[in-house]
């Protein structure tokens, strides 16, 4: 089995300098459309990870330049990097620390309506389940096992760098909003060539 290599990264400071100098690489933001609308780097294209995986061959043909993948903290961007690398696209970099680091550095951000990011939503739902089942376990023996199952799921999510609860939450109307339109992204990338 081939060993997985870590994606090349770029810091917020270096990327901000490139943007300021007018040498902005192609920016693909792989978060949900709702997260993207809340805050994103100006000029970034929103291509959620699932859509990116589905259309990676089309994207590979349009991304012949430097590409920086962006998400909240870097985990989803690494998944996207792996998917594009498997499709044969070299030269990919992941924004170190994602939008968290970009915003902390005071770099420019296009803002929309405020929404909770996916990680915060997962913490709320998982924590609420554990709290409610823990308290209910006082009166209903065995109920605490639901909280134990949630804890096991979170442990698996951390070890596998995936999150079933996040996938489920992303399907809620609050998180969906207008779907990221891959045709618009492809047209925009084509026009920039």
């Amino acid at each position: 089995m081939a060993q997985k290599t870590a994606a090349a990264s770029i810091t917020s400071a270096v990327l901000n300098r490139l943007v300021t100098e007018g040498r902005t690489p192609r920016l693909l933001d792989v978060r949900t459309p709702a997260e993207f609308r809340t805050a994103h780097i100006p000029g970034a294209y929103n291509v959620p990870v699932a859509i990116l995986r589905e259309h990676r061959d089309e994207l590979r043909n349009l991304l012949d330049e430097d590409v920086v993948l962006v998400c909240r903290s870097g985990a989803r961007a690494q998944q996207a990097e792996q998917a594009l690398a498997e499709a044969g696209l070299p030269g990919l970099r992941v924004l170190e620390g994602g939008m968290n680091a970009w915003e902390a550095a005071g770099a420019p951000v296009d803002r929309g309506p405020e929404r909770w990011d996916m990680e915060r939503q997962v913490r709320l739902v998982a924590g609420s389940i554990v709290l409610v089942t823990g308290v209910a376990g006082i009166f209903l023996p065995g109920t605490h096992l639901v909280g134990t199952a949630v804890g096991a799921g979170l442990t698996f999510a951390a070890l596998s760098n995936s999150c079933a609860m996040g996938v489920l939450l992303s399907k809620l109307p609050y998180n969906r909003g207008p779907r990221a339109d891959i045709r618009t992204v492809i047209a925009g990338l084509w026009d920039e060539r």
Side-chain angles (χ1 to χ4, degrees), residues 23-53:
R23 299 185 299 141
T24 307
R26 299 268 177 96
L27 301 171
L28 297 185
D29 191 317
V30 299
R31 297 173 300 154
T32 66
E35 290 174 296
F36 181 80
R37 278 193 318 278
T38 297
H40 62 271
I41 299 172
Y45 291 96
N46 183 217
V47 186
V49 175
I51 292 173
L52 180 137
R53 282 186 185 119

Side-chain angles (χ1 to χ4, degrees), residues 73-93:
S73 63
R76 285 178 279 177
Q78 289 176 350
Q79 292 171 10
E81 185 277 335
Q82 183 179 2
L84 289 172
E86 288 171 0
L89 185 61
L92 302 167
R93 291 181 287 175

